[in-house]
Amino acid sequence: MKLVTRFAPSPTGLLHLGHAFSALTVFHAAREAGGRFLLRIEDIDRTRCKPEFETAIYEDLAWLGLDWESPVRRQSDHFKDYDAALNALREKNLVYRCFKTRKEILDEIARAPHLSADGPEGPAYMGEPLPAEEERALIDAGEPFAWRLSIEAAKKHLGPAYEALSFTEETPEGARTVKAAPEIFGDPVIARKDNGTSYHLASVHDDALQGVTHVIRGEDLSHAAHLHRLLQALLDYPAPAYRHHRLLTDEGGKRLAKRDKAATLQALRDSGVSRDHVLKRLGF
Ligand code: GLU
């Protein structure tokens, strides 16, 4: 089977050295395996994503010497696809509407000792659908809602297959099987109030659609694989293998972030730093 992998940045800021390291890691993995390298623009967040950042992604990656297949998939062109995926989950009764605000959820968690305020992405909340009449009234009143995946419903739906869910983590030392524990998220929001989908749903959908065999990304996203494996099982998508690479840090050992302006590829380029210098600094 030919390896297919992707680099999937969100155009919410300029790429920095950490992104370059990730993009190069993914690109070289494809090269070394004689596989395919895809670029995907994850721009479902219509308030934070900006066209100028998308343009900069193409410029920066080309400057690094990467090339990718076209057309590039831009998630904002495909909201209908994510709707359809959500509907597939709705038809199986695996999701419920959640009208609660973040504050209401935190208050509820404070009162319920079995719930946790610190899941991988904030509160690991587990709720349930509202009684039909109450829900109808809120919908009619135009109250915004998110869709949450019910872990309890997913467990019922999959039966023993839920406990058996696992994914393959490939490391330089070899491959290992990791038992998936999606419940660390509580009932995750898989369609947000503002845009009707989520990173999780869109990413899992696209990886399946694009035939991605290897998801290679930073270890800051390693928890996401647990939830993604569950979504794959619920949506009958194939399970890719995962490689979570280390994160690049500065001299002080601190993780590079979008706010470190000096480390953006654009700033480095503008200050006359050469591509070879950057590649060497990143170990390529
Ligand atoms: N769009 C995500 C990010 O910018 C990456 C998602 C992924 O590789 O699955 O962090």
Side-chain angles (χ1 to χ4, degrees), residues 73-84:
R73 185 170 172 91
R74 300 173 68 248
Q75 291 190 325
S76 61
D77 294 333
H78 301 283
F79 280 111
K80 277 206 181 95
D81 286 7
Y82 313 130
D83 255 3

Side-chain angles (χ1 to χ4, degrees), residues 6-12 15 19 22 26 40-43 75 199 203-204 207 215-218 220-221 224 228 242 255 258:
R6 84 300 191 279
F7 178 58
S10 297
T12 55
L15 298 189
H19 296 107
S22 191
V26 178
R40 183 166 79 220
I41 302 294
E42 298 206 325
D43 58 349
Q75 291 190 325
Y199 154 61
S203 185
V204 163
D207 286 336
V215 171
I216 305 172
R217 60 189 172 204
D220 53 331
L221 284 171
H228 294 188
Y242 290 85
R255 201 184 129 189
K258 276 189 176 150

Side-chain angles (χ1 to χ4, degrees), residues 36-178:
R36 294 170 54 206
F37 171 75
L38 309 175
L39 172 63
R40 183 166 79 220
I41 302 294
E42 298 206 325
D43 58 349
I44 54 171
D45 190 329
R46 301 315 290 145
T47 50
R48 290 176 60 225
C49 294
K50 303 270 180 277
E52 59 269 32
F53 295 136
E54 183 179 336
T55 306
I57 287 173
Y58 301 130
E59 287 171 4
D60 288 340
L61 296 183
W63 181 77
L64 283 170
L66 271 53
D67 52 48
W68 52 88
E69 294 184 14
S70 51
V72 166
R73 185 170 172 91
R74 300 173 68 248
Q75 291 190 325
S76 61
D77 294 333
H78 301 283
F79 280 111
K80 277 206 181 95
D81 286 7
Y82 313 130
D83 255 3
L86 175 63
N87 279 333
L89 297 171
R90 283 181 65 185
E91 274 162 21
K92 296 176 184 167
N93 278 320
L94 296 168
V95 290
Y96 61 90
R97 290 183 183 85
C98 178
F99 294 85
K100 295 193 159 76
T101 61
R102 193 181 156 83
K103 162 122 189 15
E104 285 167 338
I105 284 175
L106 287 173
D107 288 350
E108 214 171 302
I109 286 177
R111 291 192 303 267
H114 65 287
L115 299 174
S116 154
D118 45 47
E121 291 182 341
Y125 173 75
M126 285 197 181
E128 52 188 31
L130 287 173
E133 233 167 82
E134 216 177 301
E135 185 168 87
R136 190 72 257 158
L138 289 172
I139 295 172
D140 289 346
E143 287 296 325
F145 57 84
W147 287 97
R148 286 182 185 271
L149 178 68
S150 163
I151 291 291
E152 201 183 289
K155 279 184 180 165
K156 277 205 194 104
H157 181 79
L158 292 175
Y162 181 92
E163 293 302 327
L165 278 180
S166 67
F167 57 89
T168 302
E169 175 78 39
E170 294 184 359
T171 70
E173 292 76 44
R176 61 191 170 87
T177 303
V178 180

